[in-house]
Amino acid sequence: MVRLTYPSFRLLLYLEWLLLATAMFMEVLLPFELSWSLLLRIVAIATFSLMGLRLPMVKLETKLFYTALEFSLILLPTTQHSLSSRSVFLLCLVLVMRSCLIFKRSGQLVVLGLSLLTYGTLLLSRPIVPDKFIPDKLIAMSWDWRLSNILLFSLTLVFALLLINALLAERQSREQLEIAHQQLEITNQQLCQYALRIEDQATLQERNRIAREIHDGLGHTLVAQTIQINNTLLFWESNNHKALTFLKQAKELGAEALLEIRRSLSVLRSNPLQGQSLKSAIEKLLTDFQQTTGIEPSCKIDLPYTLPTEVNTALYRIVQESLTNICKHAQATSVTVGLLADAGMIHLSIEDNGKGFNPTQNTTGFGLQGMRERAVALGAQLNLHSQLGTGCCISVSLPLSKLLF
């Protein structure tokens, strides 16, 4: 058995106490007569009141026994014609209110019907004592009063049943809303934790990529420069011409190392566009690429839309990473970059005529992996086509329907 402590039903609890107190008042004080019958009425109403402190909410057998005991407490004094009809009215009303909290709709209707039968039987079974001074008209009015009282009692029970069920439905809706709110908070927390893990993983991948770039690019260049400087010192006195050649090569390696540092710093910038449009940023990127490699790239950009910042950044990074890979590995002499909007799609392509590679053996590099992750984050599709000796083509297709302008 569970104590009913819902704040929403505090008003109903106060109403129940008021009805029970009224029933006790009418039995004790209207009029007052000290007798065993009075004691029986007081004990019955007091017991009936105390039963409301704990309601059965689980087992059906307990609910049925509880309700039968309530009816017994109402009927026991009534069999001796000691419990007034007004008290039976109030007690049956409280009984129906309690049944709404422990039974489903069918059980509530059964309790309502039994309460109505109990009150109607009590009211109609009490005889009117014949008296020559009471005219037949008053006797007929008495029967009319009884029938009207039964009708009023029926309407009161139905009203109480509908009211309490409405409060129960409102309480259930509040509980479901609260549960949904808690689940939403848990989901938001899980999403935040997931976002933090993704951010940490992305940061770790970026650190690993930078470490690889420093080791494979800058580290290799500095080692080669150190060797050339040592060769310069070695041949400085015996062969000045050869030493000068080594020194020039060391200088070129130093310039290459400086470009490598600038390229790494450019990748680390949080906002690579720095207020520029995507078209201007890509054109500047291609200008730097031409100065670094001596390759004059061809470019065609036709983008009539203003894209969100995160989309501009992702597309710029994909172009930047592609040009970096071409500069380091492709040995290309021609590069073409295209960025077009057509048929509800944005198409980005970077193509070169370099030595190419086997995509099935070279798809785990940090550059390619980073480009794929950026494309997936946008809801885009990235395709890579390459063969040995035929260059490489990277294409990205992004539906405009997935963008929030």
Side-chain angles (χ1 to χ4, degrees):
M1 304 178 78
V2 182
R3 178 183 290 273
L4 190 64
T5 56
Y6 293 153
S8 301
F9 297 105
R10 192 170 298 171
L11 179 62
L12 291 178
L13 184 61
Y14 294 156
L15 177 60
E16 178 180 324
W17 290 348
L18 179 61
L19 294 175
L20 293 171
T22 303
M24 182 72 75
F25 177 80
M26 288 189 300
E27 293 298 329
V28 175
L29 298 179
L30 297 177
F32 177 77
E33 53 177 8
L34 187 60
S35 62
W36 287 107
S37 176
L38 174 62
L39 180 61
L40 179 62
R41 295 198 301 269
I42 293 175
V43 171
I45 296 177
T47 305
F48 188 91
S49 302
L50 293 175
M51 289 179 63
L53 297 177
R54 295 179 67 86
L55 300 178
M57 306 297 290
V58 182
K59 293 183 178 180
L60 179 60
E61 296 81 1
T62 307
K63 296 178 182 179
L64 294 176
F65 176 77
Y66 179 90
T67 305
L69 183 58
E70 286 182 315
F71 273 113
S72 300
L73 291 172
I74 296 174
L75 294 174
L76 180 61
T78 303
T79 56
Q80 302 180 10
H81 303 287
S82 59
L83 195 63
S84 69
S85 60
R86 289 167 297 183
S87 298
V88 173
F89 184 106
L90 297 177
L91 294 179
C92 286
L93 179 58
V94 172
L95 192 151
V96 171
M97 292 171 58
R98 292 177 181 176
S99 71
C100 293
L101 302 176
I102 62 178
F103 288 111
K104 295 182 179 180
R105 184 60 58 86
S106 57
Q108 297 171 15
L109 294 176
V110 171
V111 173
L112 185 146
L114 292 176
S115 300
L116 182 58
L117 180 63
T118 300
Y119 181 73
T121 302
L122 170 66
L123 207 60
L124 297 175
S125 63
R126 290 185 176 179
I128 298 177
V129 179
D131 194 325
K132 62 180 179 179
F133 297 104
I134 300 177
D136 294 338
K137 185 177 181 180
L138 290 179
I139 296 176
M141 290 178 61
S142 175
W143 283 105
D144 291 341
W145 175 83
R146 294 185 183 191
L147 294 176
S148 299
N149 220 7
I150 293 174
L151 179 61
L152 176 62
F153 180 67
S154 304
L155 294 176
T156 303
L157 292 186
V158 172
F159 175 77
L161 186 71
L162 296 177
L163 176 62
I164 297 176
N165 278 295
L167 292 176
L168 286 171
E170 185 266 345
R171 175 64 190 182
Q172 186 177 8
S173 299
R174 286 180 179 271
E175 289 179 344
Q176 292 175 351
L177 183 61
E178 184 177 355
I179 292 173
H181 180 68
Q182 292 175 354
Q183 292 177 345
L184 182 61
E185 287 184 349
I186 294 174
T187 302
N188 288 336
Q189 292 176 358
Q190 292 175 344
L191 288 176
C192 289
Q193 294 175 356
Y194 179 74
L196 289 176
R197 288 198 299 268
I198 292 296
E199 184 178 356
D200 292 340
Q201 183 179 3
T203 301
L204 180 61
Q205 290 180 349
E206 189 67 14
R207 288 176 179 174
N208 292 335
R209 195 183 78 85
I210 294 172
R212 184 184 73 97
E213 293 288 340
I214 292 175
H215 178 270
D216 295 343
L218 185 60
H220 175 75
T221 303
L222 292 177
V223 169
Q225 185 185 42
T226 301
I227 294 174
Q228 298 302 330
I229 292 175
N230 289 333
N231 290 335
T232 301
L233 295 175
L234 182 62
F235 290 97
W236 182 257
E237 295 182 355
S238 59
N239 192 338
N240 291 336
H241 178 72
K242 195 171 185 178
L244 181 60
T245 302
F246 287 133
L247 185 61
K248 290 180 179 180
Q249 292 177 355
K251 179 183 177 181
E252 293 175 357
L253 290 171
E256 183 178 344
L258 183 60
L259 289 174
E260 187 71 27
I261 292 175
R262 290 177 177 174
R263 188 183 300 113
S264 298
L265 292 177
S266 175
V267 172
L268 289 175
R269 283 203 303 266
S270 59
N271 184 13
L273 275 67
Q274 295 181 337
Q276 305 177 82
S277 66
L278 180 59
K279 179 179 179 180
S280 300
I282 292 178
E283 289 175 348
K284 185 178 183 302
L285 191 64
L286 294 175
T287 300
D288 295 340
F289 176 81
Q290 181 181 358
Q291 292 176 355
T292 302
T293 63
I295 302 173
E296 183 176 357
S298 61
C299 176
K300 183 178 181 181
I301 300 178
D302 184 10
L303 197 62
Y305 307 103
T306 301
L307 302 178
T309 302
E310 61 272 15
V311 177
N312 288 334
T313 301
L315 295 177
Y316 177 87
R317 290 298 192 193
I318 292 174
V319 175
Q320 184 184 46
E321 188 61 43
S322 299
L323 294 177
T324 299
N325 289 340
I326 292 172
C327 179
K328 289 183 177 181
H329 311 296
Q331 299 178 7
T333 59
S334 174
V335 175
T336 302
V337 176
L339 180 59
L340 306 173
D342 179 48
M345 301 284 291
I346 294 178
H347 300 283
L348 171 66
S349 62
I350 306 98
E351 187 174 0
D352 67 80
N353 64 345
K355 64 180 183 179
F357 62 93
N358 186 351
T360 61
Q361 299 177 358
N362 296 273
T363 58
T364 58
F366 285 98
L368 292 175
Q369 181 179 348
M371 286 189 282
R372 285 195 176 93
E373 291 175 352
R374 295 183 191 279
V376 169
L378 293 179
Q381 182 178 2
L382 185 142
N383 295 313
L384 186 148
H385 302 281
S386 181
Q387 291 182 357
L388 293 175
T390 61
C392 176
C393 178
I394 294 176
S395 61
V396 177
S397 299
L398 174 62
L400 288 174
S401 59
K402 294 188 178 181
L403 302 182
L404 297 177
F405 292 94

